[in-house]
Amino acid sequence: MSVERWPVRGLAQTLVRTGVVDADDMSDVVARAGEGAELRHEIVTARLATETQIAQAIAEQSGRPFVDLGSTTLDSDIIALVPAALCRRYQVIPIARGRRQLTVGMLDPGDLIALDDLATATDLNIVPAVVAADALAAAFTRFLRSDEELSDLSEQIGESAAVDAGPGGTESIEDQTGDAPIVRFVNLLVTQAINDRASDIHIEPGERQLTVRYRIDGVLHEMQKADRAIQDGVISRLKIMASIDIAERRKPQDGRLSVHHDGRQVDLRLATLPTVWGEKIVMRILDNRAQSLTMGDLRFSMVNEKRFREAITRPHGMVLVTGPTGSGKSTTLYTALNTVANPRINVITVEDPVEYRMAGINQVQVNPRAGMTFQAALRSILRSDPDVVLVGEIRDKETATISIEAALTGHLVLSTLHTNDAPSALTRLTEIGCEPFLVGTALSAVVAQRLARRLCLKCREAYRESREALESVRFPFHPSDPPVLYRAVGCNACSGTGYSGRVALHEVMTLSEGIEQLVVAHATGSDMRALAIEEGMVSLREDGFSKVAEGITTIEEVLRVAI
């Protein structure tokens, strides 16, 4: 169905007349696009106008009001007056209800068929308004979720599972079509998770129910409960998609799958874990856009970025990024690779698994069954004339020793380690058996990292915290001038949480001669930390508080993630 029913020349003329688009540019676009939705798409693609400007032009031309959905409070009860299927079919969203009328936001206020169907479905007079396409898509993501359809599908699957439990009623999941309820259920789970910006999907079996949780901005949210009868079908379907053994239920397995979503490919890393009630599945959603991040996107402070850049641009040495699972270590390392990689050097990685596929970089997947362990891969890599080596994770003495020796023999080595802070990485390496004098000599820098939720810029609220509260958490401020901070509020754009996205907090420790001496002397992590701070290291909490002062996050978030 065409998005615009009025003459294409009218919309083009309105954009030119209002000064949004230059007349010559518009002539070229009209010649290429023709009529209908193609014109709108071509204008936005060419960056001649935004979706909001186009919607405002359509509103002026059609004589209908323009509504900014981003600053309008939408009521889920009013939205529920129109079935979700109709909203998606006609690209509309209910905005407000009067005594006998319903105001709906539309891309095409001249769509009489849509207006007729909406009036029939609601038994109300429909008053159209114009909204921007991107704002409408965001409203769909927020309000027209797949939860209800997921519940219906789980009931259908449960009923069919009960029928199939009879004699001779079994069916191979490999024979199921794309329209099968179990296939649609799994597809909806993944699609909804991507729409919600989730980083992980947890599918957890229980005694009576299957629970689905999404990790969004670092916090788990329960999204769906389904009958236990669908458990085996869902798990088998996911195993088939990830190309792992569906018959093996007694030991953990790892796999990988890819889906297409909104015109782009999204990779998912799948891990199974046998529990007392069945196999738990966790899928990590790998956003391939992380490949194109720059150092500026990591939001290092000026001091930390200078230290980090100096370490990764050295011709040799080891740089470690530490932190818990899901703290953005891989993203930081890939960004570092993007910074240093060029056609004149040979970059090789050994990972388990390969999270992001990058052009121009040789990536090796660990495969213990075939004898391709971290140690075996590293030995082969060092015979392949590398300049930069990325080791996915240092887990044992042998991997650590080979990595350190590579750093001492003219290679730049990047890797990760699981420790609470930067100084603890040094004690961890000595604890697993590495020689202290080699650790101190090989290491160039250690980065500790955490992810805090980022405040939603559309609804954050300024306030002044009390002096006592700031002093209790040791927040730096001048007594005569308490800082203006921001707190989370919640709006449509951030799904009522007050947060949207995450920002990294960093602690960058460079290896000075003094710290090397402490490592050789088997000093404690506390002693090394004290000296590092004396030499200018900014702690995780201090870096977090600086981002609080900038209005990026909140004190509560920093205290939640930083030690």
Side-chain angles (χ1 to χ4, degrees):
M1 185 183 71
S2 175
V3 174
E4 292 131 7
R5 295 180 180 275
W6 43 86
V8 66
R9 188 177 300 278
L11 175 60
Q13 287 177 345
T14 302
L15 288 169
V16 171
R17 179 169 52 80
T18 55
V20 175
V21 182
D22 180 77
D24 292 338
D25 292 336
M26 182 58 77
S27 297
D28 295 339
V29 172
V30 170
R32 289 197 306 268
E35 297 188 0
E38 291 78 10
L39 174 67
R40 183 183 208 139
H41 174 74
E42 192 69 31
I43 291 172
V44 174
T45 302
R47 297 185 178 181
L48 298 179
T50 64
E51 291 284 8
T52 298
Q53 291 171 322
I54 291 175
Q56 289 170 338
I58 292 172
E60 180 176 334
Q61 184 185 358
S62 63
R64 297 294 183 178
F66 166 76
V67 175
D68 181 4
L69 291 179
S71 59
T72 302
T73 302
L74 299 178
D75 188 331
S76 56
D77 292 335
I78 293 175
I79 292 173
L81 293 173
V82 177
L86 277 185
C87 288
R88 293 189 184 277
R89 183 188 308 165
Y90 294 122
Q91 294 291 285
V92 302
I93 191 83
I95 296 173
R97 179 179 180 176
R99 186 175 179 181
R100 290 293 305 157
Q101 68 181 30
L102 180 68
T103 301
V104 298
M106 309 178 68
L107 300 184
D108 176 8
D111 188 345
L112 298 180
I113 295 176
L115 296 175
D116 268 353
D117 283 358
L118 291 173
T120 301
T122 61
D123 197 25
L124 294 169
N125 295 321
I126 305 300
V127 179
V130 184
V131 296
D134 52 357
L136 183 65
F140 280 0
T141 300
R142 170 74 178 93
F143 291 98
L144 301 186
R145 298 174 53 82
S146 306
D147 299 352
E148 185 177 341
E149 188 174 356
L150 284 170
S151 298
D152 292 342
L153 284 172
S154 66
E155 289 179 12
Q156 292 178 34
I157 298 165
E159 290 169 2
S160 61
V163 172
D164 291 343
T170 59
E171 177 189 4
S172 170
I173 193 165
E174 293 168 326
D175 297 332
Q176 293 174 342
T177 66
D179 293 329
I182 199 74
V183 175
R184 290 166 54 205
F185 183 87
V186 169
N187 291 346
L188 278 172
L189 277 185
V190 174
T191 300
Q192 191 62 62
I194 297 171
N195 286 337
D196 285 354
R197 299 179 295 102
S199 60
D200 300 88
I201 306 171
H202 290 243
I203 300 173
E204 302 169 332
E207 183 178 5
R208 294 182 178 86
Q209 289 181 312
L210 184 73
T211 303
V212 178
R213 297 195 290 171
Y214 294 164
R215 187 178 293 279
I216 302 171
D217 293 337
V219 178
L220 279 171
H221 300 267
E222 186 175 298
M223 309 305 295
Q224 182 73 26
K225 280 188 178 292
D227 191 272
R228 181 178 165 80
I230 78 170
Q231 174 181 317
D232 290 344
V234 170
I235 292 172
S236 296
R237 173 63 185 167
L238 287 169
K239 283 184 170 183
I240 289 170
M241 293 173 71
S243 300
I244 59 179
D245 187 357
I246 66 171
E248 179 56 71
R249 302 183 178 183
R250 297 169 298 174
K251 63 182 182 182
Q253 297 186 80
D254 295 312
R256 188 184 184 102
L257 59 138
S258 297
V259 298
H260 288 278
H261 179 76
D262 284 347
R264 63 188 177 96
Q265 179 175 305
V266 178
D267 295 330
L268 294 94
R269 189 180 73 200
L270 183 144
T272 70
L273 180 68
T275 70
V276 292
W277 299 117
E279 289 179 283
K280 171 185 169 75
I281 287 185
V282 177
M283 288 184 284
R284 167 66 56 85
I285 299 173
L286 305 172
D287 191 345
N288 291 319
R289 287 175 292 189
Q291 302 173 17
S292 57
L293 291 179
T294 64
M295 292 291 286
D297 297 320
L298 297 181
R299 296 305 297 262
F300 276 104
S301 66
M302 289 182 62
V303 173
N304 284 341
E305 182 174 342
K306 181 174 181 293
R307 289 180 162 212
F308 188 58
R309 278 186 181 276
E310 287 176 352
I312 64 174
T313 52
R314 291 180 59 179
H316 57 82
M318 177 185 282
V319 178
L320 292 177
V321 181
T322 74
T325 301
S327 59
K329 299 187 297 295
S330 296
T331 300
T332 298
L333 285 182
Y334 275 98
T335 305
L337 278 186
N338 269 334
T339 303
V340 302
N342 62 69
R344 297 184 301 278
I345 64 173
N346 181 21
V347 181
I348 306 179
T349 76
V350 51
E351 306 167 70
D352 183 22
V354 174
E355 293 197 10
Y356 306 111
R357 289 171 168 81
M358 301 180 68
I361 291 177
N362 307 284
Q363 297 175 276
V364 178
Q365 168 72 55
V366 168
N367 185 358
R369 289 183 181 178
M372 179 63 85
T373 61
F374 270 112
Q375 302 94 309
L378 271 173
R379 291 193 197 97
S380 299
I381 284 172
L382 295 178
R383 292 193 292 268
S384 301
D385 187 32
D387 297 292
V388 180
V389 178
L390 185 149
V391 183
E393 182 183 344
I394 292 178
R395 301 175 179 174
D396 51 51
K397 176 184 176 181
E398 192 170 358
T399 304
T401 301
I402 298 172
S403 300
I404 288 172
E405 290 173 351
L408 291 171
T409 54
H411 306 89
L412 175 64
V413 179
L414 308 175
S415 189
T416 67
L417 198 64
H418 286 278
T419 62
N420 287 329
D421 59 4
S424 298
L426 303 173
T427 56
R428 172 66 178 150
L429 288 174
T430 56
E431 283 171 3
I432 63 177
C434 297
E435 293 292 342
F437 69 93
L438 294 179
V439 172
T441 305
L443 273 176
S444 301
V446 183
V447 180
Q449 181 168 310
R450 297 292 187 279
L451 292 178
R453 288 185 292 176
R454 186 193 295 263
L455 278 168
C456 173
L457 297 179
K458 293 187 177 180
C459 66
R460 65 178 183 174
E461 180 181 78
Y463 75 105
R464 287 191 183 271
E465 186 61 88
S466 68
R467 178 175 176 176
E468 293 76 15
L470 294 175
E471 289 176 345
S472 68
V473 298
R474 298 192 296 277
F475 188 94
F477 71 101
H478 195 282
S480 63
D481 186 24
V484 176
L485 306 180
Y486 291 86
R487 60 163 64 99
V489 177
C491 65
N492 292 335
C494 61
S495 301
T497 63
Y499 297 96
S500 179
R502 289 188 287 178
V503 64
L505 315 183
H506 302 100
E507 179 177 272
V508 183
M509 182 183 75
T510 53
L511 271 289
S512 65
E513 185 177 339
I515 292 177
E516 285 184 31
Q517 292 173 355
L518 289 180
V519 176
V520 173
H522 295 278
T524 65
S526 299
D527 293 337
M528 285 185 269
R529 182 176 187 80
L531 179 58
I533 290 175
E534 187 180 318
E535 292 178 348
M537 183 183 80
V538 178
S539 70
L540 280 168
R541 183 173 288 195
E542 289 173 351
D543 189 52
F545 283 160
S546 70
K547 290 178 170 69
V548 171
E550 294 176 41
I552 297 173
T553 187
T554 62
I555 290 178
E556 293 77 15
E557 272 299 292
V558 173
L559 297 179
R560 181 178 69 87
V561 301
I563 56 177

Coordinates of all heavy atoms in Angstrom, one line a residue, residues 88-123:
R88 N -0.4 -2.2 13.0 CA 0.7 -2.4 12.1 C 0.4 -2.4 10.7 O 1.1 -2.0 9.8 CB 1.3 -3.8 12.5 CG 2.0 -3.8 13.9 CD 2.7 -5.1 14.2 NE 3.2 -5.2 15.5 CZ 4.4 -4.6 15.9 NH1 5.1 -3.9 15.1 NH2 4.8 -4.7 17.2
R89 N -0.8 -2.9 10.3 CA -1.2 -3.0 8.9 C -1.4 -1.6 8.3 O -0.9 -1.4 7.2 CB -2.6 -3.7 8.8 CG -3.0 -3.9 7.3 CD -4.4 -4.4 7.3 NE -4.6 -5.7 8.1 CZ -5.8 -6.2 8.4 NH1 -6.9 -5.6 8.0 NH2 -5.8 -7.3 9.1
Y90 N -2.0 -0.7 9.1 CA -2.2 0.6 8.5 C -1.2 1.7 9.1 O -1.4 2.9 8.7 CB -3.6 1.1 8.9 CG -4.7 0.2 8.2 CD1 -5.7 -0.4 8.9 CD2 -4.7 0.1 6.8 CE1 -6.6 -1.2 8.3 CE2 -5.7 -0.7 6.2 CZ -6.6 -1.3 6.9 OH -7.6 -2.1 6.3
Q91 N -0.2 1.3 9.9 CA 0.8 2.2 10.4 C 0.1 3.3 11.1 O 0.3 4.5 10.8 CB 1.7 2.7 9.2 CG 2.5 1.6 8.6 CD 3.6 1.1 9.5 OE1 4.6 1.8 9.8 NE2 3.4 -0.1 10.1
V92 N -0.6 3.0 12.2 CA -1.3 4.0 13.0 C -1.1 3.7 14.5 O -0.8 2.5 14.8 CB -2.8 4.0 12.7 CG1 -3.1 4.3 11.3 CG2 -3.5 2.7 13.2
I93 N -1.3 4.7 15.3 CA -1.2 4.5 16.8 C -2.2 5.4 17.4 O -2.3 6.6 17.1 CB 0.3 4.8 17.3 CG1 0.4 4.4 18.7 CG2 0.6 6.3 17.1 CD1 0.8 3.0 18.9
P94 N -3.1 4.9 18.3 CA -4.1 5.7 19.0 C -3.4 6.6 19.9 O -2.4 6.2 20.7 CB -4.9 4.7 19.7 CG -4.8 3.4 19.0 CD -3.4 3.4 18.5
I95 N -3.8 7.9 19.9 CA -3.1 8.9 20.8 C -4.0 9.4 21.9 O -3.6 9.5 23.1 CB -2.7 10.1 19.9 CG1 -1.6 9.7 18.9 CG2 -2.2 11.3 20.7 CD1 -1.3 10.7 17.8
A96 N -5.3 9.7 21.6 CA -6.2 10.3 22.6 C -7.6 9.9 22.3 O -8.0 9.7 21.1 CB -6.0 11.8 22.7
R97 N -8.4 9.8 23.4 CA -9.8 9.5 23.2 C -10.7 10.6 23.7 O -10.5 11.1 24.8 CB -10.2 8.2 23.9 CG -11.6 7.8 23.7 CD -12.0 6.5 24.4 NE -13.4 6.2 24.2 CZ -14.0 5.1 24.6 NH1 -13.3 4.1 25.3 NH2 -15.3 4.8 24.4
G98 N -11.7 11.0 22.9 CA -12.7 11.9 23.4 C -14.0 11.2 23.7 O -14.0 10.0 23.9
R99 N -15.1 12.0 23.8 CA -16.4 11.4 24.1 C -16.8 10.3 23.1 O -17.2 9.2 23.5 CB -17.4 12.5 24.3 CG -18.7 11.9 24.8 CD -19.7 13.1 25.1 NE -21.0 12.6 25.6 CZ -22.0 13.3 25.8 NH1 -21.9 14.6 25.7 NH2 -23.1 12.8 26.3
R100 N -16.8 10.7 21.8 CA -17.2 9.7 20.8 C -16.2 9.7 19.7 O -16.5 9.3 18.5 CB -18.6 10.1 20.2 CG -19.7 9.9 21.1 CD -20.0 8.4 21.4 NE -20.1 7.6 20.2 CZ -19.9 6.3 20.1 NH1 -19.5 5.7 21.2 NH2 -20.1 5.7 19.0
Q101 N -14.9 10.0 20.0 CA -13.9 10.0 18.9 C -12.6 9.5 19.4 O -12.3 9.5 20.6 CB -13.8 11.4 18.3 CG -13.2 12.5 19.3 CD -13.1 13.8 18.6 OE1 -13.9 14.2 17.8 NE2 -12.1 14.6 19.0
L102 N -11.8 9.1 18.5 CA -10.4 8.6 18.8 C -9.4 9.3 17.9 O -9.6 9.2 16.6 CB -10.4 7.1 18.6 CG -9.1 6.4 18.9 CD1 -8.7 6.5 20.4 CD2 -9.1 5.0 18.4
T103 N -8.4 10.0 18.4 CA -7.4 10.6 17.6 C -6.3 9.6 17.4 O -5.8 9.0 18.4 CB -6.8 11.8 18.3 OG1 -7.9 12.8 18.6 CG2 -5.7 12.5 17.5
V104 N -5.9 9.4 16.2 CA -4.9 8.4 15.9 C -3.7 9.1 15.1 O -4.0 9.9 14.2 CB -5.4 7.2 15.1 CG1 -6.4 6.4 15.9 CG2 -6.0 7.6 13.7
G105 N -2.5 8.7 15.4 CA -1.4 9.2 14.6 C -1.2 8.3 13.4 O -1.2 7.0 13.6
M106 N -1.0 8.9 12.2 CA -0.8 8.1 11.0 C 0.3 8.7 10.2 O 0.7 9.8 10.3 CB -2.1 8.2 10.2 CG -3.4 7.8 10.9 SD -4.9 8.0 9.9 CE -4.7 6.7 8.7
L107 N 0.8 7.8 9.3 CA 1.8 8.3 8.3 C 1.0 8.9 7.1 O 1.5 9.8 6.5 CB 2.7 7.1 7.8 CG 3.5 6.4 8.8 CD1 4.4 5.4 8.1 CD2 4.4 7.4 9.6
D108 N -0.2 8.3 6.9 CA -1.0 8.8 5.7 C -2.4 9.1 6.2 O -3.3 8.2 6.3 CB -1.0 7.6 4.7 CG -2.0 7.9 3.5 OD1 -2.4 9.1 3.4 OD2 -2.2 7.0 2.7
P109 N -2.6 10.4 6.5 CA -4.0 10.7 7.0 C -5.0 10.7 5.9 O -6.2 10.8 6.2 CB -3.8 12.2 7.5 CG -2.6 12.7 6.7 CD -1.7 11.5 6.5
G110 N -4.6 10.5 4.7 CA -5.6 10.4 3.6 C -6.0 9.0 3.2 O -6.7 8.7 2.2
D111 N -5.6 8.0 4.0 CA -5.9 6.6 3.8 C -7.4 6.3 4.3 O -7.6 6.0 5.5 CB -4.9 5.7 4.5 CG -5.1 4.2 4.1 OD1 -6.2 3.9 3.5 OD2 -4.2 3.4 4.4
L112 N -8.4 6.4 3.4 CA -9.8 6.3 3.8 C -10.1 4.9 4.2 O -11.0 4.6 5.0 CB -10.7 6.7 2.6 CG -10.5 8.2 2.2 CD1 -11.5 8.5 1.0 CD2 -10.8 9.1 3.4
I113 N -9.5 3.9 3.6 CA -9.7 2.5 3.9 C -9.3 2.2 5.4 O -10.0 1.6 6.2 CB -9.0 1.5 3.0 CG1 -9.5 1.7 1.5 CG2 -9.1 0.1 3.4 CD1 -8.7 0.9 0.5
A114 N -8.2 2.8 5.7 CA -7.7 2.6 7.1 C -8.6 3.3 8.1 O -9.0 2.7 9.1 CB -6.3 3.2 7.3
L115 N -9.1 4.5 7.8 CA -10.0 5.2 8.6 C -11.3 4.5 8.8 O -11.9 4.4 9.9 CB -10.2 6.6 8.1 CG -9.0 7.6 8.0 CD1 -9.4 8.9 7.3 CD2 -8.5 7.8 9.4
D116 N -11.8 3.9 7.7 CA -13.1 3.1 7.8 C -12.9 1.9 8.7 O -13.8 1.6 9.5 CB -13.5 2.7 6.4 CG -14.4 3.7 5.7 OD1 -14.8 4.6 6.4 OD2 -14.7 3.5 4.5
D117 N -11.8 1.2 8.5 CA -11.6 -0.1 9.3 C -11.4 0.3 10.7 O -11.9 -0.5 11.6 CB -10.4 -0.8 8.7 CG -10.7 -1.6 7.4 OD1 -11.9 -1.5 7.0 OD2 -9.8 -2.2 6.9
L118 N -10.7 1.4 11.0 CA -10.5 1.7 12.4 C -11.9 2.1 13.1 O -12.1 1.8 14.2 CB -9.5 2.9 12.5 CG -8.1 2.6 12.1 CD1 -7.2 3.8 12.1 CD2 -7.5 1.6 13.1
A119 N -12.7 2.9 12.3 CA -14.0 3.3 12.9 C -14.9 2.0 13.1 O -15.6 2.0 14.2 CB -14.7 4.2 11.9
T120 N -14.8 1.1 12.2 CA -15.6 -0.2 12.4 C -15.1 -1.0 13.6 O -15.9 -1.5 14.4 CB -15.5 -1.1 11.2 OG1 -16.0 -0.3 10.1 CG2 -16.3 -2.3 11.3
A121 N -13.8 -1.0 13.8 CA -13.2 -1.8 14.9 C -13.4 -1.2 16.3 O -13.6 -1.9 17.3 CB -11.7 -2.0 14.7
T122 N -13.5 0.1 16.3 CA -13.6 0.8 17.6 C -15.0 1.4 17.9 O -15.3 1.8 19.0 CB -12.6 2.0 17.7 OG1 -12.9 2.9 16.6 CG2 -11.2 1.5 17.5
D123 N -15.8 1.5 16.8 CA -17.1 2.1 17.0 C -17.0 3.6 17.4 O -17.8 4.1 18.2 CB -18.0 1.3 17.9 CG -19.5 1.7 17.8 OD1 -19.9 2.2 16.6 OD2 -20.3 1.5 18.7

